[in-house]
Amino acid sequence: QVQLVESGGGLVQAGGSLRLSCAASGRTFSANAMGWFRQAPGKERELVASIDWTGFNTRYADSVKGRFTISRVSAKSTVYLQMNSLKPEDTAVYSCAASAGGVVTTISNDFRYWGQGTQVTVSP
C-alpha cells in the first residue's frame, strides 16, 4: 500500500518556524516530482511549493516566496517544507503529494498520490 505520511505540524506564534516532513512508504518516489499543498477552512486547496525529481527545480506560491523552502532527499523518498516567518494566514492543513511525472509542476491534477495532511496553526 502506497502511503505518504506528513509530520511536523503544530501550533506556533506568528514569526515562528516549523519544518514539515513527508515520508513515503510502499514505493519509492525518487523519480517523481513532489509538492506541498494547503487548505484552510472555507478555502480551496492551493499549491504551496513543488520540486522536481532532481531537487534542483522548485516552484512556490507568491504568498510564501522568501519564507518557505521545499527540499527533498530522494534516496529516502522524503520531502521537507521549511516554513519561516509564519503568519496567521498560513494556518491550514498541509498535505504532501507525489506527481505522476518527474518534472516540476504547479497543476494539482498532475499529483496522483496524497497524504492525509498535518495541521499548522499560527497564532497572532
Side-chain angles (χ1 to χ4, degrees):
Q1 183 179 0
V2 178
Q3 282 189 311
L4 294 173
V5 180
E6 303 92 341
S7 60
L11 174 64
V12 64
Q13 287 188 329
S17 298
L18 284 173
R19 188 193 196 205
L20 304 183
S21 299
C22 172
S25 63
R27 60 159 284 179
T28 178
F29 289 103
S30 59
N32 299 76
M34 304 288 290
W36 284 97
F37 290 78
R38 69 184 179 186
Q39 187 167 21
K43 294 187 176 181
E44 293 187 355
R45 183 175 61 196
E46 63 171 343
L47 176 74
V48 176
S50 60
I51 188 167
D52 75 347
W53 74 277
T54 69
F56 291 115
N57 297 300
T58 58
R59 298 289 187 273
Y60 295 94
D62 288 343
S63 58
V64 306
K65 282 182 181 177
R67 299 189 298 123
F68 290 11
T69 302
I70 187 171
S71 61
R72 67 185 299 163
V73 179
S74 292
K76 297 181 179 181
S77 290
T78 302
V79 180
Y80 303 98
L81 185 68
Q82 178 67 43
M83 306 186 295
N84 299 328
S85 302
L86 282 161
K87 305 175 181 180
E89 50 264 43
D90 294 318
T91 295
V93 174
Y94 285 70
S95 301
C96 72
S99 173
V103 178
V104 67
T105 178
T106 60
I107 302 172
S108 179
N109 286 343
D110 287 344
F111 292 85
R112 303 297 172 84
Y113 300 93
W114 295 85
Q116 291 297 313
T118 184
Q119 177 69 45
V120 171
T121 303
V122 185
S123 62

